[in-house]
Amino acid sequence: MVNLNTIPPKNNREYYIAIGLEGSANKLGVGVVKHPRLASHQSGDNSHICKAEILSNIRDTYITPPGEGFLPRDTARHHRNWVTRIIKRAIKEAKLTDPKLDIDVICFTKGPGMGAPLHSVVIAARTISLLWDVPLIGVNHCVGHIEMGREITKAENPVVLYVSGGNTQVIAYSENRYRIFGETLDVAIGNCLDRFARTLKISNAPSPGYNIEQLAKQCKNKDRLIQLPYTVKGMDLSMSGILAYIDSLAKDLFKENKKNKLLFDQETGEGLVTVEDLCYSLQENLFAMLVEITERAMAHVNASQVLIVGGVGSNVRLQEMMAQMCRDRANGRVHATDERFCIDNGVMIAQAGLLQYRMGDVIKDLKDTVVTQKFRTDEVYVSWRE
Amino acid sequence: MSHTPTAIYSCPDIPSKNFEVDITQERFNTTNGKSTGPSEHVLNAGQVDQDKPSDPKHIDDDSSKGLTALSKLRCQLTGLQDDINDFLTQRMEHAKNKKLKVSDEKRLDQEINELLDGGDGQDE
């Protein structure tokens, strides 16, 4: 029996408050969330209806020049230099007068992610924990995305498609674990899009994937897709070959390699394909692969709902394609959130961490706060669900 | 009485290494460390450094009054961080060289064994 009220809130209050710190990649996020203590949480699987109130959700992104990715050392430096200011802003916006008295738990991303940036943020988490005498909770980044998505959309038991710069997984819940049904065998979908954006030398602000989406919308030849490799392997998929292929097409296009029959008319020498066409075809191809494995996972577990989480989940075209697939299934429904919650943020870490805390899971020794680059979704024991 | 930060590095293969502040050295009087700046690669790519630590502050903003306690601490930590980074870089270089040497010896051993086994020593 799940009892989310195992640990009483601080100072005999009727609500819990958690602060979450996220910095596993180039986004530094700090968020504050409040959960009322409800009688309905005494028993039963109600972890998706916490009636969470988001008191603040502050984010700052490390953005590099066009054509460049973000290096661990510089990303860590960005997080180090901004984390104090972002924590202060989050506390101010949440109108917390005394964090020492107001906050029940400090949640931080334990992994997976880039080692150096994770390390910058956990040092800040440890410091405020010692300063305010508030306990710490390490949160799995992927579980953070899932729990935030469940709380925002109220999807009870969906198949989860987790798509971001570092992860591509199809997940379903079973017996206290988020089980991975399918995943990428090489690069993540967001990484594939980001790297193509680097080849195109388009801006990294607000994000390279968003700019590819905007270029794809401008495609004038939507009925004429460029043929790309389609690499679904059972429940898994592979994207590195697609990236290498479309990269070579883009390079030929920029070099005006007229010998390329796909790109140039061999008689007139006229261009047949634009950058917008490449972006559109890449998106359609990758998203079709995602829809296929998601649908297969839904059939496996007899689910009717899909929840899309992760930065790429804010892509409207992906949401449309997934909705189209869901419409063809009985009672099918797709759930997605907007960029505030899809893209890495501190609130999602606070949300998942607070669920852990309410079940009595808390770090007792600072030695247990060591962050890790590798931390699979299914390693987490999900005690807050039946 | 003023306190200064210290750091200790301990590892099974070497005796403990202590890092201490020496305020007579310039690196303990700045917030701009030599190993804590942006990487050259991103600067060459046109990155504008927006993550630079602020300069140390003087008491009452008066340069004749010396640094605030927090600014002193920031400067001392910057110097310590530089020393630790230098030390760890040396350790990494040392480990890398050792690994190369070992793999070189392993390769020679393997080649000798192959010859003894009747191989012709040619790469396939």
Side-chain angles (χ1 to χ4, degrees), chain A residues 198 203 235:
Chain A
R198 271 181 244 163
S203 168
M235 286 301 294

Side-chain angles (χ1 to χ4, degrees), chain A residues 124-193:
Chain A
R126 285 179 199 138
T127 308
I128 56 173
S129 167
L130 293 170
L131 200 64
W132 300 335
D133 194 22
V134 173
L136 282 164
I137 286 272
V139 175
N140 179 294
H141 178 87
C142 316
V143 173
H145 272 297
I146 297 171
E147 293 308 337
M148 195 73 238
R150 288 179 71 230
E151 177 62 28
I152 298 287
T153 64
K154 309 293 175 217
E156 195 179 349
N157 189 22
V159 162
V160 180
L161 175 65
Y162 172 32
V163 274
S164 68
N167 295 278
T168 306
Q169 294 178 340
V170 179
I171 300 159
Y173 172 81
S174 171
E175 293 181 7
N176 299 102
R177 302 260 171 200
Y178 286 114
R179 316 267 171 184
I180 300 164
F181 274 64
E183 62 188 317
T184 177
L185 298 170
D186 38 57
V187 295
I189 184 153
N191 189 238
C192 180
L193 293 167

Side-chain angles (χ1 to χ4, degrees), chain A residues 60 62-66 68-69 71 73-74 77-82 85, chain B residues 32 34-42 45-47 49-53:
Chain A
D60 193 88
Y62 171 60
I63 293 173
T64 49
E68 296 299 321
L71 297 170
R73 169 180 156 180
D74 297 284
R77 183 171 176 265
H78 166 269
H79 292 1
R80 265 200 311 274
N81 283 306
W82 290 99
R85 279 171 271 194
Chain B
N32 252 332
K34 73 173 163 65
S35 64
T36 50
S39 54
E40 220 166 287
H41 178 80
V42 291
Q47 179 84 319
D49 185 17
Q50 292 173 327
D51 306 323
K52 196 179 164 191

Side-chain angles (χ1 to χ4, degrees), chain A residues 118-331:
Chain A
L118 279 171
H119 199 246
S120 290
V121 175
V122 75
I123 288 174
R126 285 179 199 138
T127 308
I128 56 173
S129 167
L130 293 170
L131 200 64
W132 300 335
D133 194 22
V134 173
L136 282 164
I137 286 272
V139 175
N140 179 294
H141 178 87
C142 316
V143 173
H145 272 297
I146 297 171
E147 293 308 337
M148 195 73 238
R150 288 179 71 230
E151 177 62 28
I152 298 287
T153 64
K154 309 293 175 217
E156 195 179 349
N157 189 22
V159 162
V160 180
L161 175 65
Y162 172 32
V163 274
S164 68
N167 295 278
T168 306
Q169 294 178 340
V170 179
I171 300 159
Y173 172 81
S174 171
E175 293 181 7
N176 299 102
R177 302 260 171 200
Y178 286 114
R179 316 267 171 184
I180 300 164
F181 274 64
E183 62 188 317
T184 177
L185 298 170
D186 38 57
V187 295
I189 184 153
N191 189 238
C192 180
L193 293 167
D194 291 358
R195 282 161 70 172
F196 185 53
R198 271 181 244 163
T199 304
L200 298 181
K201 297 238 185 305
I202 57 177
S203 168
N204 287 325
S207 71
Y210 175 81
N211 293 328
I212 287 199
E213 185 184 358
Q214 302 316 308
L215 283 170
K217 277 184 194 165
Q218 292 160 27
C219 168
K220 292 190 177 82
N221 305 307
K222 289 187 178 168
D223 53 341
R224 206 178 60 203
L225 279 175
I226 299 159
Q227 216 163 13
L228 298 172
Y230 187 90
T231 42
V232 170
K233 305 190 181 229
M235 286 301 294
D236 298 327
L237 37 91
S238 161
M239 286 168 281
S240 58
I242 301 171
L243 175 64
Y245 182 68
I246 198 149
D247 258 356
S248 71
L249 286 182
K251 280 172 189 161
D252 274 356
L253 187 65
F254 292 142
K255 277 192 297 191
E256 295 192 5
N257 178 7
K258 306 264 176 180
K259 285 180 191 159
N260 192 322
K261 290 175 191 169
L262 266 176
L263 303 175
F264 296 96
D265 188 304
Q266 294 303 289
E267 285 175 13
T268 62
E270 219 174 288
L272 302 171
V273 167
T274 64
V275 165
E276 288 80 1
D277 296 344
L278 289 176
C279 292
Y280 181 75
S281 291
L282 178 64
Q283 276 201 167
E284 294 294 301
N285 200 70
L286 294 176
F287 295 168
M289 287 161 50
L290 289 176
V291 171
E292 183 185 329
I293 60 165
T294 308
E295 185 173 18
R296 203 171 297 144
M298 289 169 83
H300 271 307
V301 298
N302 202 19
S304 56
Q305 300 179 326
V306 184
L307 170 65
I308 311 177
V309 298
V312 183
S314 58
N315 187 301
V316 177
R317 180 61 187 146
L318 174 61
Q319 293 177 11
E320 272 172 18
M321 288 171 75
M322 203 58 77
Q324 205 171 351
M325 177 272 284
C326 284
R327 270 197 299 275
D328 294 339
R329 298 180 64 84
N331 305 317

